[in-house]
Amino acid sequence: MPERPEPATPFADLVDGFGWRSPAEFIRVYAAVAARIGERADVTDRQVRRWRAPSPPCPQPSRQRVLEAMLGVPLEQCGFRVPPHRRNPVIVPVPVLDPIPELRERRPDPVERRTLLAAVGGAALGIAGMGAPVPAAAYEGPRVGTDTVTDLRAGLSGLYGLDDRFGGATVGPLAAAHLSRVQRLIDTGQYPETIGRQLRLVSGETAEHVGWLAFDAGDHARARHYWTQARDTATELRDNSLAVLVLASLSLLELREERARDGLDHARRAAALAAPWAPPSLMSILATREARALAMLGDSASARTTLASAARLYEQDRGSRPAPDWTLFHGPAELASAQAELFTAVGHHKAAVTWLRRSLERQEVTYARNEALHRGRLAGALARSGEAEEAAHHIQQGEALLTEVSSGRAREGLAVARRELDRIRPT
């Protein structure tokens, strides 16, 4: 009787992508990584097969550390049910080089293969031109290891902080330069496959952030281009964390362009991907986006229910579990702003003013761009409610912030508020 084919699972797909298809190959790599990080290499053929099966058992903590160092991703993204207190938001991969020379001889690293082909091609051109062959060493690129990946991640984290303070139009070129650096290292560097995966993941995350900065600057076409690039990287790497981030961003873009149905679809797809592993604060962000889309579609009852769920999710978390850096903006101010949008959608502008005041009061002082955004929204709601003097005050304060923040979104929001004010109080 022929052997039944092994079912496809996230863990098996990722392991096979590295080329460790047989348990014996996997165990050799596992042993090498375990030795490097000081853990025991006590894994059996039977254990590897159980990990590759559907609904795999969660490994012991020491084995979890080895597997995450091997694969470069949190185990919950590989189909394992990892308890919340054992989830690691940042994974540092361990390069695997010399301990398994027989695997390297049989299946060269893609980057080393490119270096070899370049050298061979250069030699052939030298012979054809009756000149001396170019030595292979001349084509060697920089060696990339864990320190480089850590440095690239630190640079990306720094860009997040600059965005909060100075806005997308100012920080966008810096992020684009950072993305170019990552892509250059991918194309020219020498590294093992574990590091290669991390480089491609940083590339996808940086492309997503370049897209976000373009969105904040008001360049929606550029934002969509980079978010599509980041989504392709997430699909290639089967990285659900990046996929969720991109879908959440695309949802916001669709809402901004008043394509509520598409925004709702993106938010729900992101929530389905994130549900097995995401902290409640991330799920709260996605529920908030869903509620906004429902309100735009005219389903007020579902929008209220969904936003109430978003608030409960946020209260469940409140920083008790690690969350991705990009979620740190979310909190009481964002939830209050979303509640105001629900009232605005049904024309209850005075109620919207109440919630927008709360949102502004809860803004953190370090988020100058967000303060400018919220002042514009509050000013618009005040103008629609007939409160001309207070609306003018918030427009003035918001425009003052634009001297330090270059945000197309904030500038447009204040311009809309100015038009609302001029409608009820012509100059």
Side-chain angles (χ1 to χ4, degrees), residues 241-263:
S241 180
L242 177 57
V244 166
L245 169 56
V246 175
L247 287 168
S249 297
L250 284 168
S251 175
L252 200 61
L253 176 61
E254 304 296 2
L255 294 175
R256 185 76 173 181
E257 295 185 345
E258 298 186 353
R259 288 196 286 265
R261 178 61 60 188
D262 291 336

Side-chain angles (χ1 to χ4, degrees), residues 16-256:
D16 291 350
F18 282 123
W20 309 325
R21 296 180 182 278
S22 74
E25 287 175 328
F26 182 90
I27 289 171
R28 280 197 291 271
V29 180
Y30 183 98
V33 174
R36 290 197 177 193
I37 66 175
E39 296 289 353
R40 295 173 56 188
D42 56 344
V43 64
T44 65
D45 181 291
R46 180 172 178 271
Q47 184 66 64
V48 174
R49 295 185 185 280
R50 291 180 67 195
W51 288 339
R52 293 178 65 95
S55 302
C58 184
Q60 298 171 355
S62 61
R63 289 174 175 167
Q64 178 183 349
R65 286 190 287 272
V66 178
L67 289 174
E68 290 181 335
M70 282 177 66
L71 302 174
V73 295
L75 282 193
E76 57 267 23
Q77 292 188 29
C78 301
F80 293 87
R81 292 190 175 183
V82 181
H85 68 279
R86 282 175 49 190
R87 294 180 180 178
N88 300 314
V90 178
I91 304 299
V92 179
V94 173
V96 181
L97 294 171
D98 298 334
I100 49 171
E102 68 279 8
L103 293 183
R104 289 168 57 80
E105 290 173 7
R106 185 160 63 249
R107 189 179 51 80
D109 180 273
V111 175
E112 294 177 348
R113 185 183 299 114
R114 287 197 296 271
T115 303
L116 177 62
L117 290 174
V120 172
L125 289 173
I127 293 171
M130 301 302 291
V134 180
Y139 293 91
E140 289 184 358
R143 292 189 177 275
V144 181
T146 304
D147 289 346
T148 304
V149 173
T150 302
D151 176 64
L152 293 172
R153 287 204 170 281
L156 179 57
S157 179
L159 290 169
Y160 286 138
L162 291 173
D163 168 38
D164 293 332
R165 289 162 177 78
F166 301 109
T170 296
V171 186
L174 297 177
H178 191 68
L179 178 59
S180 295
R181 180 189 177 205
V182 179
Q183 291 175 333
R184 176 178 59 81
L185 290 172
I186 291 173
D187 293 338
T188 66
Q190 298 181 76
Y191 44 80
E193 291 184 30
T194 50
I195 294 295
R197 177 185 171 82
Q198 285 297 304
L199 286 173
R200 293 193 294 276
L201 183 56
V202 173
S203 172
E205 292 169 348
T206 307
E208 191 286 327
H209 194 50
V210 174
W212 165 258
L213 294 166
F215 172 72
D216 185 57
D219 190 342
H220 289 187
R222 183 176 169 85
R224 195 178 293 276
H225 167 77
Y226 280 103
W227 283 338
T228 300
Q229 178 180 329
R231 184 176 59 189
D232 290 344
T233 300
T235 301
E236 174 198 346
L237 298 179
R238 298 185 179 90
D239 189 282
N240 285 345
S241 180
L242 177 57
V244 166
L245 169 56
V246 175
L247 287 168
S249 297
L250 284 168
S251 175
L252 200 61
L253 176 61
E254 304 296 2
L255 294 175
R256 185 76 173 181

Side-chain angles (χ1 to χ4, degrees), residues 304-363:
R304 288 194 301 270
T305 301
T306 304
L307 187 58
S309 174
R312 286 194 299 272
L313 284 165
Y314 177 75
E315 290 298 324
Q316 287 175 22
D317 197 343
R318 305 255 295 209
S320 61
R321 285 169 49 188
D325 287 347
W326 68 269
T327 66
L328 298 181
F329 76 94
H330 188 61
E334 289 296 318
L335 290 165
S337 179
Q339 181 65 67
E341 288 192 36
L342 266 59
F343 282 116
T344 299
V346 294
H348 295 169
H349 301 301
K350 289 186 180 295
V353 164
T354 300
W355 284 95
L356 285 167
R357 284 181 178 141
R358 293 182 189 178
S359 176
L360 186 60
E361 290 169 359
R362 296 171 181 177
Q363 280 296 321

